[in-house]
């Protein structure tokens, strides 16, 4: 509600989330217990990939997106890393190409055959070696084919040409501490990062680096570029409250908007949908997914609703718009990771007819309540009149 008491107009005000039925979930998936704060899952219109527990190395599972039911323990995996996998990302330009980052200091790029794996995959099409510590962050360039950004616990950012395996850009002196997240802007001309020193950096190879402190808390932060060039961050206040903030990259001295949520300690992973300008916040260890709409009008970040369930999430995969079912008015889909299960959750905008039906049903129910109360009042008035007339 705005200050005038008028409901803000938005076609996403009625978005609701619904988990799929149990028979459409994927069961017996041994989701990784690694403590790194990555989503542990990556989804595209063809495949679901999940980082899993693996003895003596690192592995992730890749299955077709229409897969459901139990995963057999003999199901083949991508298992070419010598240490646990920390992050996986599908190429935005080829649904069969996926990159993985590992504690073994390497990044590997894999080509998944149509239909999925028929045998364990140990040979990557390219291995990228340039970090001196574990690599925890991957980000494909949004528009340039075969360009991949990696960030490691050596506080170094590398940009690679995956086609040739060549290191094309390295930034080793901008971050004094652990890098928490990296996000390209819409056209790939700049990246924003957040670091353990509590600072948001905008890195443009042509203009250098702009740096500003954004959240006071010591726990990990996340940042994502929005399509209009603004930046949305999640972090913690000095009092350990979880925060969501919106920043104008022309002036990082003050946030355009800040919302404080709760005092849970799970890192809030932001998933941004540029088509709807909605942001979904999925906290690791939370039982909820909150969603917001970002607009050009104050207060800029508008809370829409939240999806709540009994089971906490270990991570989540966010399906790109190319994979959703538009015939069912689906605007987004999550793949929520439980301890041993992957559960799809659809975000749907109800049709106007559905909203009207809902409103009419609510009005009918309210009319029934009002009628019942009117009859009750009439009865009580008759009883009162008899008492006053001395009949009782």
């Amino acid at each position: 509600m705005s200050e005038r008491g008028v409901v803000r107009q938005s076609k996403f005000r009625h978005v609701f989330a619904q988990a799929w039925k149990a028979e459409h979930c994927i069961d017996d998936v041994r989701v990784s217990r690694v403590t790194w704060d990555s989503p542990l899952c990556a989804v595209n219109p063809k495949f679901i990939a999940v980082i899993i527990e693996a003895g003596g190395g690192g592995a992730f599972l890749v299955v077709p997106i229409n897969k459901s039911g139990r995963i057999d323990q003999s199901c083949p995996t991508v298992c070419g890393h010598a240490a646990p996998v920390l992050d996986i990302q599908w190429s935005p330009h080829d649904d069969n190409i996926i990159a993985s980052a590992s504690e073994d200091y390497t990044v590997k790029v894999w080509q998944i055959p149509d239909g999925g794996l028929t045998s364990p995959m140990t040979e990557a099409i390219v291995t990228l070696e340039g970090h001196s510590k574990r690599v925890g962050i991957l980000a494909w360039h949004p528009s340039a084919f075969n360009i991949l950004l990696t960030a490691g616990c050596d506080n170094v950012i590398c940009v690679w040409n995956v086609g040739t395996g060549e290191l094309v850009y390295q930034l080793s002196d901008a971050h004094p501490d652990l890098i928490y997240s990296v996000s390209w802007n819409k056209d790939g001309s700049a990246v924003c990062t957040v670091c353990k020193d509590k600072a948001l950096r905008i890195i443009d190879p042509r203009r250098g680096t702009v740096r500003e402190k954004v959240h006071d808390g010591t726990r990990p932060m996340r940042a994502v570029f929005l399509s209009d060039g603004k930046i949305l961050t999640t972090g913690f206040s000095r009092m350990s409250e979880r925060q969501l903030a919106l920043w104008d990259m022309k002036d990082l001295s003050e946030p355009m908007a800040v919302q404080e949520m709760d005092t849970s300690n799970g890192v809030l992973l932001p998933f941004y949908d540029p088509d709807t300008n909605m942001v979904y916040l999925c906290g690791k260890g939370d039982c909820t997914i909150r969603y917001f709409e970002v607009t050009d009008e104050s207060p800029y970040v508008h809370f829409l609703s939240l999806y709540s369930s009994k089971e906490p999430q270990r991570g989540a995969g966010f399906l790109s718009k190319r994979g959703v079912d538009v015939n069912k008015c689906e605007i987004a889909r999550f793949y929520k990771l439980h301890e041993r299960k992957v559960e799809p959750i659809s975000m749907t905008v109800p049709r106007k007819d559905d909203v009207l039906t809902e409103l009419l049903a609510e009005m009918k129910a309210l009319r029934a309540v009002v009628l019942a109360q009117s009859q009750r009042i009439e009865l009580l008035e008759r009883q009162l009149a008899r008492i006053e007339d001395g009949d009782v």
Side-chain angles (χ1 to χ4, degrees):
M1 298 281 275
S2 70
E3 289 174 10
R4 296 176 188 155
V6 178
V7 176
R8 188 180 67 89
Q9 291 299 309
S10 168
K11 55 189 168 189
F12 304 115
R13 204 156 45 85
H14 296 288
V15 168
F16 68 94
Q18 192 161 29
W20 291 22
K21 291 179 181 175
E23 60 262 30
H24 298 303
C25 296
I26 305 173
D27 296 307
D28 274 359
V29 179
R30 296 166 295 142
V31 177
S32 173
R33 296 180 179 276
V34 70
T35 54
W36 188 253
D37 286 316
S38 82
L40 303 178
C41 180
V43 193
N44 70 18
K46 279 188 179 180
F47 300 106
I48 303 166
V50 180
I51 302 174
I52 59 170
E53 284 289 291
F60 58 96
L61 180 74
V62 177
V63 294
I65 195 161
N66 56 7
K67 168 73 179 171
S68 61
R70 185 173 170 273
I71 294 290
D72 194 275
Q73 295 306 308
S74 61
C75 183
T77 61
V78 180
C79 50
H81 281 287
V85 176
L86 299 180
D87 195 15
I88 46 176
Q89 293 291 331
W90 291 103
S91 164
H93 304 112
D94 186 335
D95 287 341
N96 294 75
I97 298 293
I98 188 169
S100 58
S102 169
E103 287 189 8
D104 66 9
Y105 306 178
T106 71
V107 171
K108 292 178 183 284
V109 180
W110 314 83
Q111 183 153 16
I112 307 299
D114 283 329
L117 303 180
T118 53
S119 60
M121 183 173 278
T122 57
E123 294 298 318
I125 52 173
V126 65
T127 297
L128 307 174
E129 296 176 314
H131 288 282
S132 60
K133 290 187 179 178
R134 60 184 182 157
V135 190
I137 296 170
L138 299 167
W140 290 95
H141 194 284
S143 55
F145 185 62
N146 271 349
I147 298 298
L148 176 66
L149 182 149
T150 63
C153 294
D154 51 6
N155 312 335
V156 172
I157 284 178
C158 296
V159 179
W160 307 84
N161 181 334
V162 170
T164 62
E166 178 192 1
L167 177 63
V168 294
Y169 178 77
Q170 187 176 61
L171 190 66
S172 55
D173 55 359
H175 299 88
D177 214 325
L178 184 66
I179 301 165
Y180 285 140
S181 83
V182 176
S183 173
W184 291 98
N185 67 352
K186 186 179 181 181
D187 62 6
S189 61
V191 296
C192 68
T193 69
V194 281
C195 174
K196 198 172 182 179
D197 67 354
K198 305 178 187 178
L200 167 70
R201 288 172 175 80
I202 298 166
I203 301 163
D204 183 334
R206 295 158 303 182
R207 297 195 184 95
T209 301
V210 180
R211 171 191 177 280
E212 196 71 49
K213 185 176 172 182
V214 286
H215 290 279
D216 292 324
T218 54
R219 291 192 52 75
M221 303 184 297
R222 289 291 182 272
V224 61
F225 256 118
L226 307 187
S227 55
D228 62 0
K230 295 186 184 72
I231 297 169
L232 187 132
T233 62
T234 64
F236 293 79
S237 70
R238 193 179 280 108
M239 303 300 291
S240 294
E241 290 176 304
R242 293 199 292 190
Q243 292 178 322
L244 166 68
L246 184 68
W247 305 86
D248 186 339
M249 66 184 278
K250 298 185 189 77
D251 180 12
L252 296 175
S253 59
E254 286 290 327
M256 295 175 66
V258 177
Q259 288 202 18
E260 292 183 341
M261 272 159 288
D262 54 34
T263 53
S264 295
N265 59 9
V267 176
L268 285 167
L269 305 178
F271 295 91
Y272 173 60
D273 180 355
D275 300 314
T276 60
N277 232 31
M278 285 174 63
V279 176
Y280 301 84
L281 297 187
C282 179
K284 296 200 82 169
D286 285 10
C287 298
T288 59
I289 299 172
R290 295 174 172 86
Y291 36 110
F292 300 79
E293 186 179 6
V294 183
T295 68
D296 293 329
E297 61 200 46
S298 182
Y300 305 110
V301 180
H302 308 272
F303 174 72
L304 293 174
S305 189
L306 62 81
Y307 165 77
S308 187
S309 61
K310 292 176 184 173
E311 295 286 326
Q313 55 241 5
R314 299 277 293 279
F318 186 62
L319 179 61
S320 70
K321 191 61 96 278
R322 291 183 299 116
V324 300
D325 188 347
V326 292
N327 292 325
K328 293 182 178 175
C329 299
E330 190 179 36
I331 60 165
R333 189 188 306 162
F334 279 90
Y335 286 81
K336 174 180 169 177
L337 302 187
H338 297 249
E339 199 168 328
R340 293 185 70 90
K341 183 171 79 169
V342 181
E343 178 185 39
I345 298 167
S346 288
M347 302 289 173
T348 308
V349 176
R351 290 183 175 89
K352 199 175 280 187
D353 291 351
D354 296 339
V355 176
L356 284 171
T357 303
E358 197 178 306
L359 289 172
L360 287 169
E362 199 172 329
M363 282 168 58
K364 189 176 178 182
L366 282 171
R367 280 203 187 101
V369 170
V370 170
L371 181 61
Q373 294 296 347
S374 297
Q375 290 170 344
R376 175 75 177 144
I377 290 167
E378 203 178 305
L379 179 64
L380 289 171
E381 283 175 341
R382 284 204 300 270
Q383 287 179 347
L384 185 61
R386 285 208 303 276
I387 291 167
E388 288 172 345
D389 291 344
D391 294 345
V392 177

